[in-house]
Amino acid sequence: MATAYRSGWHFIDLVTAIPHSGDSLMVTVFGEPVVVTRDEDDDVRAYRCLRRPRGAPQPVRCAIRYGMIFVNLDQRDHRLVEPEAPDARTISATPRSA
């Protein structure tokens, strides 16, 4: 069952849980430890804590929406992004009926 629900985006916590750069938060998602941290540029990043030869954590897709932090463990492209703002350029066109 966990395999079926593992695919996709999962709510972790509110952005207010890591308000300052250098803050971090550790959670367990489907039995896998995930560290969410805020870096010096104020970006929120998530890492899966796996034992790897060099000990480096594996990056996980992370998204912020409405002040909430979501992660995608399987890295598939399940879209969870705010719609892009429309281009501010003005295009003038003549209607076909004219």
Side-chain angles (χ1 to χ4, degrees):
M1 183 117 152
T3 304
Y5 289 105
R6 182 180 165 169
S7 174
W9 292 97
H10 302 285
F11 172 72
I12 295 296
D13 208 328
L14 299 176
V15 176
T16 55
I18 51 172
H20 308 290
S21 57
D23 288 351
S24 62
L25 171 70
M26 186 166 176
V27 295
T28 302
V29 181
F30 294 111
E32 294 189 36
V34 176
V35 174
V36 182
T37 183
R38 187 178 293 270
D39 63 15
E40 300 83 31
D41 298 329
D42 226 21
D43 292 331
V44 175
R45 306 208 185 269
Y47 300 93
R48 188 176 346 183
C49 301
L50 297 177
R51 291 184 183 213
R52 301 182 75 196
R54 295 193 178 121
Q58 181 181 0
V60 174
R61 283 193 186 186
C62 181
I64 309 284
R65 188 171 193 181
Y66 304 116
M68 298 181 287
I69 303 169
F70 292 86
V71 296
N72 185 348
L73 294 177
D74 67 359
Q75 301 293 338
R76 291 185 192 157
D77 194 16
H78 302 283
R79 296 286 176 184
L80 178 69
V81 293
E82 295 296 324
E84 292 183 18
D87 199 359
R89 291 180 289 164
T90 310
I91 299 172
S92 59
T94 306
R96 290 185 175 207
S97 60

